[in-house]
């Protein structure tokens, strides 16, 4: 069948193919969902290199991340050339129209993972993205508590404003639009500074410990989500779980009132029709990281708090501490 999407015609094959057996949602349901929230998800993806999380046979089948632009992609969908930490590079899909999202859904894309950069400058992030990830023994309510303190930290250090959204699971994401004048390394350094300040204020509830054995029952502020080639699911993305939840943009007054279970492929279109994109004004702002980078400088100068480990697939970075699990390091030292 064919769908009309903001002036484009997108062909949908096997529209009755079931993608979410538990709810009975089909490929057509998925495509129609992305039509319904089209302006919102396009705002989140516009001009951003985007990795596609594809489930061609639905949530119960094989899946993969598509980083390079798919073969046969229409010429009206542009690409952006990005470089990975390994030094390799690729041309990634870079949506500029709502129809591009529906075209990707035709190929089983459930979740869209945009880089925090625009195609015009792929080395300078324009968003500081903070991932509040509940660890075993914690839940969404703990993430909510951390998010409200995070809001205060952001305001205190530079008058920053964050836009919150559910992760589609138990966590919360907060995105801060920033001026695109810092490197990935500097933005990651700012995220670490935020995490350390959160640890000082909520030591029993928040951690930035990279090694799972050290995190305990706390909310992990995943500073490495700001490293190059690490991405976070976009607002309005459908997540690959049996009940088809979506990553839902929230207003701050909804954080702690709304629950992630409120938002899925069936319920979000009605919310969008009523409220529109509650993050629509996000692109009207661009904040400075100067205050957070000064906090990072003071942490290092006054307290000896330097860099933290990168993900395992990254090359060794300048100033990075030993990338070894603490318990293994202790056993090695003892021997």
């Amino acid at each position: 069948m064919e769908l009309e999407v903001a002036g484009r015609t997108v062909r949908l094959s096997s529209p009755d193919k079931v993608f979410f057996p538990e709810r009975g949602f089909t490929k057509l349901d998925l495509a129609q969902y992305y039509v319904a929230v089209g302006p919102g998800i396009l705002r989140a993806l516009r001009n951003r290199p985007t990795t596609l999380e594809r489930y061609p046979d639905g949530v119960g089948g094989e899946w993969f991340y598509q980083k390079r632009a798919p073969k046969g992609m229409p010429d009206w969908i542009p690409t952006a050339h990005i470089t990975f930490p390994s030094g390799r590079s690729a041309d990634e899909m870079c949506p500029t129209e709502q129809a591009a999202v529906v075209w990707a859904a035709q190929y089983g894309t459930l979740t869209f993972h945009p880089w925090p950069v625009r195609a015009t400058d792929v080395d300078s992030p324009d968003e500081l993205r903070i991932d509040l990830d509940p660890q075993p023994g914690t839940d969404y309510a703990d993430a909510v508590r951390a998010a409200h303190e995070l809001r205060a930290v952001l305001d205190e250090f530079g008058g920053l404003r964050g836009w919150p959204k559910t992760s589609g699971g138990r966590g919360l994401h907060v995105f801060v639009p920033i001026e695109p004048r810092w490197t990935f390394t500097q933005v990651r350094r700012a995220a670490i500074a935020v995490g350390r300040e959160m640890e000082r204020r909520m030591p029993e509830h928040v951690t930035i410990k990279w090694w799972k054995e050290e995190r305990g029952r706390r909310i992990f502020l995943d500073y490495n989500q700001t490293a190059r080639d690490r991405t976070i699911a976009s607002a309005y993305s459908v997540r690959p779980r049996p009940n088809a939840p979506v990553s839902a943009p929230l207003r701050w007054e909804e954080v702690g009132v709304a629950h992630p279970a409120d938002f899925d492929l069936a319920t979000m279109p009605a919310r969008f029709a009523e409220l529109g994109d509650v993050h629509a004004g996000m692109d009207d702002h661009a904040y400075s990281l100067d205050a957070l980078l000064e906090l990072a400088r003071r942490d290092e100068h006054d307290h000896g708090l330097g860099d933290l480990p990168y993900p395992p697939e990254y090359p060794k970075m300048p100033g990075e501490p030993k990338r070894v699990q603490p318990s293994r390091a202790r056993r090695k030292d003892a021997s």
Side-chain angles (χ1 to χ4, degrees):
M1 65 182 303
E2 293 182 340
L3 296 177
E4 293 299 318
V5 187
R8 293 276 186 192
T9 300
V10 180
R11 182 176 176 272
L12 199 69
S13 64
S14 304
D16 296 330
K17 188 173 187 177
V18 176
F19 271 21
F20 292 90
E22 185 173 296
R23 302 288 299 277
F25 295 140
T26 64
K27 181 193 283 190
L28 177 58
D29 293 323
L30 177 69
Q32 290 178 330
Y33 165 79
Y34 280 127
V35 172
V37 301
I41 193 165
L42 182 61
R43 189 268 312 154
L45 302 178
R46 192 191 305 274
N47 294 322
R48 298 189 184 279
T50 301
T51 297
L52 310 178
E53 188 176 348
R54 293 178 55 188
Y55 290 75
D57 295 313
V59 292
E62 297 292 326
W63 66 278
F64 58 95
Y65 289 109
Q66 177 106 40
K67 292 192 174 183
R68 287 170 171 78
K71 293 181 180 178
M73 191 172 71
D75 57 11
W76 52 267
I77 301 178
T79 61
H81 192 74
I82 45 87
T83 302
F84 303 117
S86 64
R88 293 180 298 171
S89 62
D91 294 319
E92 285 204 343
M93 177 184 183
C94 195
T96 56
E97 302 181 37
Q98 295 175 38
V101 178
V102 180
W103 178 87
Q106 145 67 15
Y107 291 94
T109 301
L110 299 186
T111 307
F112 295 82
H113 296 266
W115 281 48
V117 301
R118 307 283 182 172
T120 50
D121 187 354
V122 295
D123 294 314
S124 301
D126 68 346
E127 287 180 348
L128 169 64
R129 298 174 174 179
I130 299 172
D131 181 7
L132 298 173
D133 184 11
Q135 300 302 289
T138 64
D139 57 19
Y140 180 70
D142 296 296
V144 165
R145 183 176 178 183
H148 284 298
E149 187 62 40
L150 170 63
R151 185 185 187 187
V153 169
L154 292 174
D155 182 64
E156 184 173 331
F157 291 92
L160 308 183
R161 176 186 171 189
W163 275 256
K165 68 183 184 70
T166 67
S167 66
R170 298 185 305 135
L172 278 165
H173 302 150
V174 178
F175 285 10
V176 180
I178 60 174
E179 299 169 9
R181 59 186 180 94
W182 293 278
T183 65
F184 278 94
T185 301
Q186 290 172 310
V187 174
R188 179 178 173 275
R189 183 175 171 84
I192 291 173
V194 170
R196 285 179 168 146
E197 183 64 21
M198 289 287 290
E199 278 188 326
R200 285 189 282 265
R201 298 184 183 203
M202 307 180 76
E204 302 301 317
H205 301 283
V206 175
T207 181
I208 57 169
K209 298 291 186 184
W210 177 246
W211 303 104
K212 291 182 179 180
E213 65 183 27
E214 294 187 308
R215 292 177 192 170
R217 298 174 59 176
R218 291 178 286 186
I219 297 297
F220 173 48
L221 193 149
D222 189 354
Y223 62 89
N224 269 331
Q225 291 289 35
T226 54
R228 180 185 287 272
D229 193 34
R230 295 297 283 259
T231 56
I232 294 177
S234 77
Y236 301 103
S237 273
V238 178
R239 306 313 309 274
R241 297 181 175 88
N243 61 328
V246 304
S247 180
L250 300 175
R251 297 168 294 195
W252 274 109
E253 58 267 28
E254 296 178 297
V255 176
V257 178
H259 190 274
D262 298 336
F263 310 108
D264 60 30
L265 189 149
T267 62
M268 179 55 80
R271 172 181 167 88
F272 193 88
E274 179 185 358
L275 301 177
D277 179 14
V278 298
H279 285 188
M282 187 174 170
D283 288 346
D284 297 334
H285 301 268
Y287 295 100
S288 171
L289 290 180
D290 286 343
L292 284 178
L293 291 173
E294 172 59 21
L295 175 62
R297 187 198 66 79
R298 294 202 309 268
D299 278 344
E300 184 167 13
H301 181 269
D302 298 342
H303 306 292
L305 299 174
D307 204 355
L308 292 173
Y310 274 78
E313 70 272 18
Y314 278 63
K316 183 68 175 178
M317 301 295 287
E320 181 187 2
K322 289 183 179 180
R323 199 182 298 175
V324 59
Q325 193 171 334
S327 58
R328 291 183 60 187
R330 287 192 294 269
R331 287 197 298 268
K332 184 176 180 180
D333 291 341
S335 63

